Amino acid sequence: MFFKSILSTACVLVACSSAVVAETIIDDVGRSVEVDLPIERAVIFNRYSVEFARAIGAIDQVVGTGASTYRDPDYWPQFTEANVVGQGQNDLNYEAIIAKSPDLVILPRNGVYEEAARQLEPFGIPVMVITAWDTLKHVENVELMGRLFGHEEQAENLVDYYIGYKKLLADRLEGVSTVPVYFEETRPLVTVTPGSGWHDMIAAGGGENVFGDIVIADEAAARGNPNAFTIDPEEIVLRAPAVVVKLEPGSYTAIPEDQFSRTWVDLIGREEVRSTPAVQSNNVHVINYYLAGGSSKITGALQIAKWAHPDLFADIDPEEAMRQWIEDFQGLPYQPGMTYQGGF
């Protein structure tokens, strides 16, 4: 089993029947974090990391999370307002966190983990960086969380699910030319670049991000970050995507078809989109944020593959993979209808 470097281990008997193990773990950004395992009380920011906790059977060990998670009660029936300890990964309520007496706080690498570590160190609360949205680190992150919470077997079940679909994609796409894809965030003219999990999702699905040549470090800060980079409309025309995919703000509950339709009509009504090969071949799609992001975006990668290489994936239903993620790992009934494609 993969597990990040352990620098020291010591056992202390508790109540003569269980053991707490003190370990030092190297986290996602190379920090050494000392924790006592298993974690009994965790505060976790970022939906993807909380999903991992639920998928491995550790949701009852999560005592605090962000308001953005709590605001989706259909998907998170386990949480109440009392579990909210901040607005999100960049806006933490330290007083509320401390009041929860957590054994560990988990943040992604694009969260305020450095500030959190400074604020919480005097209270003996460790902060660990685990970036669950990173498709390239899915296996190590899931196995690490399984180790942290004492649910190694359940974690391996999730790893097997992910690796199975990852291998399917790799096997069928071996030696196949990539297809240019324009992937737009929820806001118009906002896309993704290398360094984003969305970019890696496109690549895993046999697509070529048409803005994959952007180096964020060389761009003006005002244009954004890898997950939300603002572009000029004429750039879309010049890069000639064969597939256009638009994220629709959504949640676990089904998005009404008329909402999907409005987004699709608005999208193809834009001159820069109408000028692409994607429109000419009717390969323009809207996708629910939840399908795109399921299980480190493996479900999104399957959907990209289905649209970019329809002949190779004619027998694959990405929504079946999403159903497994929702029902088998999140413990909720699946609600179909996660994508939309209009007609010309």
Side-chain angles (χ1 to χ4, degrees):
M1 175 183 293
F2 179 93
F3 186 57
K4 297 191 178 184
S5 303
I6 301 173
L7 305 182
S8 65
T9 303
C11 293
V12 180
L13 291 181
V14 177
C16 300
S17 60
S18 61
V20 171
V21 180
E23 296 188 355
T24 301
I25 296 169
I26 307 301
D27 75 0
D28 192 8
V29 291
R31 298 163 58 251
S32 297
V33 183
E34 294 185 6
V35 291
D36 292 335
L37 303 184
I39 299 299
E40 298 293 342
R41 298 177 61 82
V43 166
I44 304 181
F45 289 94
N46 189 276
R47 170 174 69 86
Y48 296 114
S49 296
V50 186
E51 283 181 321
F52 279 6
R54 184 162 61 182
I56 66 170
I59 195 65
D60 290 342
Q61 292 152 266
V62 181
V63 297
T65 189
S68 56
T69 297
Y70 163 69
R71 292 191 193 106
D72 194 355
D74 290 326
Y75 195 58
W76 298 109
Q78 297 91 347
F79 297 132
T80 69
E81 192 170 4
N83 297 110
V84 175
V85 289
Q87 291 303 306
Q89 65 194 45
N90 293 306
D91 187 3
L92 282 55
N93 182 332
Y94 294 105
E95 183 177 348
I97 292 173
I98 294 164
K100 292 292 182 185
S101 301
D103 304 317
L104 181 66
V105 172
I106 295 175
L107 285 159
R109 63 173 178 263
N110 59 335
V112 291
Y113 64 89
E114 292 174 307
E115 174 193 296
R118 288 194 301 271
Q119 295 278 2
L120 297 173
E121 182 179 14
F123 300 91
I125 300 173
V127 174
M128 185 176 294
V129 179
I130 299 176
T131 309
W133 53 255
D134 189 338
T135 64
L136 304 181
K137 293 191 173 185
H138 177 99
V139 173
E140 63 190 81
N141 285 335
V142 170
E143 291 188 341
L144 174 57
M145 289 190 72
R147 174 68 173 147
L148 289 173
F149 291 99
H151 293 281
E152 290 95 336
E153 184 176 347
Q154 296 97 316
E156 283 303 312
N157 290 336
L158 177 53
V159 167
D160 290 345
Y161 161 83
Y162 180 85
I163 288 179
Y165 281 116
K166 190 82 170 177
K167 185 177 186 303
L168 183 150
L169 285 165
D171 288 349
R172 294 197 182 188
L173 292 169
E174 184 177 4
V176 176
S177 298
T178 57
V179 173
V181 175
Y182 170 58
F183 187 85
E184 187 168 271
E185 250 281 4
T186 57
R187 291 170 291 166
L189 300 176
V190 177
T191 191
V192 299
T193 70
S196 164
W198 301 116
H199 172 85
D200 296 325
M201 176 195 76
I202 295 167
E208 179 182 356
N209 180 5
V210 294
F211 289 94
D213 62 331
I214 299 293
V215 179
I216 288 293
D218 297 338
E219 300 291 335
R223 295 194 71 177
N225 58 61
N227 293 299
F229 184 76
T230 302
I231 56 174
D232 297 321
E234 56 268 23
E235 291 184 81
I236 298 175
V237 179
L238 291 172
R239 292 166 189 256
V243 182
V244 170
V245 180
K246 171 80 172 177
L247 279 177
E248 179 70 8
S251 64
Y252 156 67
T253 53
I255 295 174
E257 185 171 341
D258 61 344
Q259 178 181 330
F260 265 142
S261 177
R262 287 193 300 271
T263 299
W264 187 85
V265 169
D266 288 345
L267 183 62
I268 64 164
R270 289 160 38 190
E271 182 177 354
E272 71 276 8
V273 175
R274 286 201 311 273
S275 302
T276 65
V279 169
Q280 296 162 19
S281 61
N282 195 23
N283 212 346
V284 178
H285 309 268
V286 185
I287 185 170
N288 186 324
Y289 214 105
Y290 265 62
L291 173 61
S295 190
S296 290
K297 303 179 176 63
I298 194 65
T299 52
L302 287 166
Q303 189 63 76
I304 293 290
K306 182 85 170 181
W307 290 330
H309 305 277
D311 294 338
L312 291 177
F313 292 88
D315 62 325
I316 300 300
D317 181 6
E319 288 214 20
E320 170 57 21
M322 189 63 174
R323 184 203 62 76
Q324 291 176 268
W325 171 243
I326 295 293
E327 294 189 353
D328 299 348
F329 293 101
Q330 298 303 313
L332 297 167
Y334 180 59
Q335 299 191 32
M338 292 250 175
T339 66
Y340 182 85
Q341 178 186 21
F344 299 102

